[in-house]
């Protein structure tokens, strides 16, 4: 079965009706480069216009137009699809049958099953959200990428590849966790004569549009960090990111600390840590006296751990923000995007006797500046999960009255697969027939030079 991923091309016009492409249509074709659906290229019968320029008819408008809504979903894949290979993992075939062929190939060629599981869960969450918001059948869902065909932000499109207005979503995954944030503008959609939802002709954002972004970090993935810190100090590690963070951000990462967690679980606030916060090396013994007169002696590794957690807090904020528009590593204004009043959320506890884990502290008072000016149309929140995870969410646009809710932990079968259960049996056989072809696909591996956590997150 041939792949159905295509690059948008100019529609084919009959020679007798050749006409220039309108600027906004040309801009849209540049915006949406990669689709998991084929696009029709034939003109409408009896007209001189392409499907790109087709204006949908006035829709049937349902009653009950509610207020816009923010959704935050969370799926833990660490206990899902056990085994060493996603192709043979129990239940994986049914789940894989529910995503596009292009996505199946990406998922099944992941080197590690943990990465394949997160990629599969991410694809399923996006479709479940689109089904929930738009009320369309799972089989009718079509997804494109904005801008960059590899790193661009996924979006829902209509049957002609045009973006569907009033909906935005973003997904992030790390170390087995997958999270989604979505915005439902509750707009009354437009429909074609056959009942399909129609998109909009122009992809340009308006002040009324809302964009969402999300990112997950895991602070214990730090082998590279500790190697660098051991040789060059914590300041050497932070300075690796001089193209990402501003001078002021990097200074506060190096020399400020929110709290230090001692081995007995006690949290020493910054005021008790004192000038120990200037320490940048490991393998030192530090002593401080609290305001109550109690003396604490602790290894500098604990201070470095606290600073590294603070570093990843900045990291999580910044990536969630740049994922609002889907620019990711291509954003030319990374250093001009600054965060102030940053506090790393206190951790929860690790899941020991259950797989649910415990949510830690939630922080929602960060200040965002871009080019030195306060960004006042964005809301951000970061929350700790278990001991090592942090999840940051961002919403921007017409956000008055909108809040970022607590994450809802989903059950794969009850909350996700149930949205498409009728299609599983129809598509499972075709997926099984493809396995021999898919398994021969070349491995997609991260280049050796991509060693930093920032770059490696995109593989």
């Amino acid at each position: 079965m041939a792949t159905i991923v295509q690059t948008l091309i100019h529609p084919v016009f009959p020679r007798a009706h050749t006409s220039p492409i309108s600027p906004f249509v040309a801009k849209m074709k540049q915006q949406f480069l990669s689709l998991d659906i084929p696009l029709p290229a034939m003109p409408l019968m009896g007209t001189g216009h392409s499907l790109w320029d087709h204006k949908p008819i006035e829709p049937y408008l349902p009653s009950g137009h509610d207020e816009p809504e923010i959704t935050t979903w969370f799926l833990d894949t660490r206990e899902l699809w056990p085994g060493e290979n996603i192709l043979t993992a129990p239940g994986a075939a049914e789940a894989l049958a529910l995503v596009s062929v292009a996505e199946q190939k990406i998922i099944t060629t992941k080197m590690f099953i943990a990465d394949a599981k997160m990629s599969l869960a991410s694809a399923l969450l996006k479709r479940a959200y689109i089904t929930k918001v738009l009320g369309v059948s799972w089989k009718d869902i079509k997804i494109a990428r904005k801008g960059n065909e590899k790193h661009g932000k996924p979006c829902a499109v209509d049957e002609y590849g045009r973006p569907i207005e009033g909906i935005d979503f973003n997904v992030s995954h790390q170390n087995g966790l997958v999270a989604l944030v979505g915005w439902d503008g509750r707009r009354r959609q437009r429909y074609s004569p056959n009942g399909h939802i129609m998109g909009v002709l122009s992809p340009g954002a308006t002040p009324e549009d809302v964009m969402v972004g999300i990112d997950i970090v895991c602070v214990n993935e730090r082998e590279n960090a500790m190697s660098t810190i051991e040789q060059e100090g914590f300041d050497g590690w932070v300075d690796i990111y001089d193209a990402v963070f501003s001078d002021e951000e990097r200074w506060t990462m190096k020399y400020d600390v929110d709290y230090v967690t001692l081995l007995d679980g006690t949290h020493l606030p910054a005021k008790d840590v004192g000038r120990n916060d200037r320490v940048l090396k490991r393998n030192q013994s530090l002593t401080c006296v609290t305001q109550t007169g109690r003396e604490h002696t602790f290894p500098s590794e604990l201070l470095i751990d606290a600073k590294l957690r603070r570093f990843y807090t900045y990291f999580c904020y910044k990536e969630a923000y740049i994922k609002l528009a889907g620019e990711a590593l291509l954003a030319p204004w990374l250093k001009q995007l600054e965060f102030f009043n940053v506090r790393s959320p206190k951790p929860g506890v690790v899941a020991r006797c259950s797989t649910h884990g415990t949510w830690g502290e939630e922080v929602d008072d960060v200040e965002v500046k871009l080019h030195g000016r306060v960004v006042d149309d964005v809301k951000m929140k970061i929350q700790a999960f278990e001991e090592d995870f942090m999840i940051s969410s961002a919403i921007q646009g017409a956000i008055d009255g909108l809040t970022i809710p607590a994450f809802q932990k989903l059950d794969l079968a009850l909350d996700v697969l149930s949205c498409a259960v009728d299609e599983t049996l129809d598509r499972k056989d075709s997926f099984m027939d493809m396995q021999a072809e898919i398994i021969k696909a070349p491995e997609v591996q991260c280049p050796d030079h991509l060693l930093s956590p920032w770059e490696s997150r995109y593989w």
Side-chain angles (χ1 to χ4, degrees):
M1 186 182 298
T3 179
I4 53 177
V5 174
Q6 293 189 353
T7 301
L8 295 186
I9 58 175
H10 293 288
V12 179
F13 293 89
R15 189 174 299 276
H17 296 290
T18 301
S19 60
I21 304 296
S22 58
F24 62 83
V25 172
K27 181 179 179 182
M28 188 185 71
K29 293 176 187 178
Q30 294 174 359
Q31 280 280 95
F32 296 90
L33 299 178
S34 178
L35 290 171
D36 62 2
I37 57 170
L39 293 183
M42 297 300 292
L44 295 172
M45 297 300 294
T47 71
H49 303 286
S50 79
L51 290 173
W52 289 99
D53 296 305
H54 170 57
K55 184 176 181 179
I57 63 172
E58 287 299 314
Y60 162 74
L61 298 179
S63 59
H65 186 63
D66 297 325
E67 293 297 319
E69 180 182 56
I70 297 292
T71 295
T72 48
W73 285 348
F74 166 74
L75 187 62
D76 190 341
T77 72
R78 291 174 293 186
E79 302 298 324
L80 297 177
W81 306 305
E84 299 297 326
N85 191 314
I86 195 69
L87 291 170
T88 58
E94 290 83 354
L96 281 162
L98 297 175
V99 302
S100 70
V101 177
E103 287 169 313
Q104 290 172 7
K105 289 188 174 182
I106 293 174
I107 293 165
T108 55
T109 52
K110 294 289 185 182
M111 181 180 298
F112 303 108
I113 189 173
D115 296 325
K117 292 196 296 183
M118 290 188 294
S119 184
L120 175 55
S122 175
L124 293 171
L125 279 187
K126 286 181 286 189
R127 282 166 171 74
Y129 181 72
I130 294 171
T131 295
K132 169 184 176 290
V133 171
L134 299 180
V136 297
S137 172
W138 189 285
K139 63 182 175 60
D140 293 327
I141 293 172
K142 300 171 180 65
I143 299 176
R145 283 188 178 273
K146 300 177 184 178
N148 184 276
E149 62 182 2
K150 181 177 181 180
H151 302 310
K153 185 178 183 180
C155 66
V157 297
D158 67 6
E159 63 265 39
Y160 303 139
R162 299 178 298 197
I164 296 174
E165 60 185 343
I167 173 177
D168 193 55
F169 58 88
N170 194 226
V171 177
S172 181
H173 54 76
Q174 191 77 356
N175 254 32
L177 304 187
V178 182
L180 175 144
V181 61
W183 170 70
D184 175 11
R186 302 292 178 92
R187 296 186 184 177
R188 298 175 181 179
Q189 301 295 339
R190 296 175 296 179
Y191 295 84
S192 63
N194 59 7
H196 288 110
I197 292 180
M198 304 296 292
V200 294
L201 292 178
S202 173
T206 68
E208 291 74 32
D209 289 333
V210 171
M211 298 182 293
V212 293
I214 193 168
D215 188 55
I216 303 178
V217 295
C218 182
V219 301
N220 70 2
E221 291 186 328
R222 51 193 182 180
E223 181 178 345
N224 293 324
M226 286 308 177
S227 176
T228 300
I229 293 170
E230 189 72 35
Q231 298 178 27
E232 303 178 26
F234 186 76
D235 51 337
W237 165 257
V238 172
D239 284 340
I240 292 175
Y241 299 89
D242 62 344
V244 175
F245 298 107
S246 69
D247 293 343
E248 186 168 353
E249 286 177 314
R250 286 187 290 113
W251 192 96
T252 186
M253 289 178 194
K254 296 174 185 178
Y255 302 114
D256 289 338
V257 65
D258 300 317
Y259 54 87
V260 172
T261 303
L262 302 182
L263 296 177
D264 63 0
T266 300
H267 295 296
L268 287 180
K271 61 184 178 182
D272 287 340
V273 174
R275 290 302 81 176
N276 287 311
D277 59 8
R278 295 302 186 259
V279 174
L280 299 170
K281 299 285 187 179
R282 302 176 67 203
N283 304 313
Q284 297 183 32
S285 180
L286 307 179
T287 300
C288 69
V289 179
T290 68
Q291 293 186 342
T292 61
R294 184 176 179 182
E295 183 176 283
H296 291 279
T297 299
F298 56 94
S300 61
E301 282 80 358
L302 299 182
L303 176 69
I304 298 302
D305 285 348
K307 290 186 176 185
L308 199 56
R309 186 176 182 85
R310 182 175 169 83
F311 165 85
Y312 278 110
T313 302
Y314 275 92
F315 189 103
C316 199
Y317 273 136
K318 183 154 292 197
E319 190 159 356
Y321 186 96
I322 63 177
K323 287 175 70 178
L324 285 166
E327 294 201 42
L329 297 177
L330 305 179
W333 34 263
L334 286 178
K335 289 191 70 168
Q336 285 70 48
L337 173 66
E338 298 179 285
F339 295 90
F340 298 89
N341 194 37
V342 171
R343 294 183 292 115
S344 56
K346 292 184 175 67
V349 299
V350 70
R352 294 185 176 89
C353 299
S354 71
T355 59
H356 295 287
T358 299
W359 289 98
E361 185 182 12
E362 179 180 303
V363 178
D364 60 2
D365 57 354
V366 68
E367 184 181 70
V368 186
K369 289 186 179 181
L370 185 60
H371 301 295
R373 296 184 178 180
V374 174
V375 180
D376 56 11
D377 66 341
V378 67
K379 291 181 180 178
M380 301 196 72
K381 181 178 77 172
I382 191 166
Q383 187 168 12
F385 179 73
E386 295 184 355
E387 292 179 338
D388 297 318
F389 292 97
M390 291 184 285
I391 306 178
S392 177
S393 307
I395 56 174
Q396 186 173 35
I399 58 176
D400 289 342
L402 292 179
T403 58
I404 302 176
F407 278 90
Q408 175 188 359
K409 189 176 188 297
L410 300 187
D411 180 274
L412 177 68
L414 297 179
D415 301 319
V416 182
L417 298 184
S418 61
C419 298
V421 66
D422 294 337
E423 300 180 37
T424 304
L425 296 177
D426 296 336
R427 299 181 60 183
K428 182 180 178 182
D429 291 340
S430 63
F431 168 74
M432 300 299 286
D433 293 339
M434 292 169 47
Q435 287 194 7
E437 175 186 348
I438 293 176
I439 201 168
K440 295 177 182 178
E443 291 278 358
V444 180
Q445 300 184 23
C446 177
D448 293 338
H449 68 280
L450 296 184
L451 298 178
S452 73
W454 184 277
E455 294 162 311
S456 65
R457 298 173 67 77
Y458 293 92
W459 290 84

